[in-house]
């Protein structure tokens, strides 16, 4: 049986490293239960949706698009941000509608 501590880590300080309207990155200096300290990176993002549209039990639709970080074209499910005041369901429907018009 693995021995682990249920003692929570204590946040000593927080520093925002980067932030824009889609994503933010911060570094927390934390004290571990054994007394050591370490930097812990935390990434947060704004609300978003991803939809995997099945045409039938054997067929799923994907989007082919260039992704800067990957530096190549990838296949992926339709995704997008949730706009202010928009429900998650409405955002998913909007993404699917945009996907249908792109084809």
């Amino acid at each position: 049986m693995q021995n682990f501590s249920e003692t929570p880590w204590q946040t000593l300080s927080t520093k925002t490293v980067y932030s824009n309207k889609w994503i933010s990155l911060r570094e927390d200096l934390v004290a571990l239960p054994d007394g050591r300290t370490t930097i812990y990176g935390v990434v947060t993002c704004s609300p978003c949706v991803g939809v995997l549209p099945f045409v039938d039990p054997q067929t799923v639709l994907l989007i082919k698009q260039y992704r800067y970080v990957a530096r190549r074209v990838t296949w992926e499910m339709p995704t997008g941000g949730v706009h202010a005041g928009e429900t998650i369901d409405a955002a998913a429907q909007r993404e699917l509608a945009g996907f249908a018009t792109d084809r």
Side-chain angles (χ1 to χ4, degrees):
M1 182 172 201
Q2 184 176 359
N3 185 12
F4 65 93
S5 174
E6 292 185 14
T7 304
W9 296 8
Q10 181 183 1
T11 304
L12 302 175
S13 66
T14 296
K15 176 177 73 170
T16 299
V17 176
Y18 177 79
S19 183
N20 66 28
K21 69 179 185 177
W22 300 284
I23 192 168
S24 67
L25 169 65
R26 74 173 199 260
E27 286 184 347
D28 289 354
L29 176 62
V30 297
L32 303 176
D34 65 5
R36 293 179 298 136
T37 61
T38 189
I39 298 291
Y40 198 87
V42 180
V43 176
T44 57
C45 64
S46 58
C48 59
V49 295
V51 182
L52 192 57
F54 280 83
V55 175
D56 60 48
Q58 302 298 314
T59 309
V60 64
L61 301 178
L62 299 173
I63 295 173
K64 182 180 180 182
Q65 63 184 2
Y66 178 80
R67 284 296 181 185
Y68 172 77
V69 173
R71 301 272 200 236
R72 63 184 174 91
V73 173
T74 63
W75 287 97
E76 55 193 58
M77 64 185 192
T79 61
V82 178
H83 297 163
E86 186 178 42
T87 66
I88 291 175
D89 288 344
Q93 290 300 320
R94 177 179 41 77
E95 288 300 321
L96 283 175
F99 175 68
T101 59
D102 289 343
R103 293 182 49 221

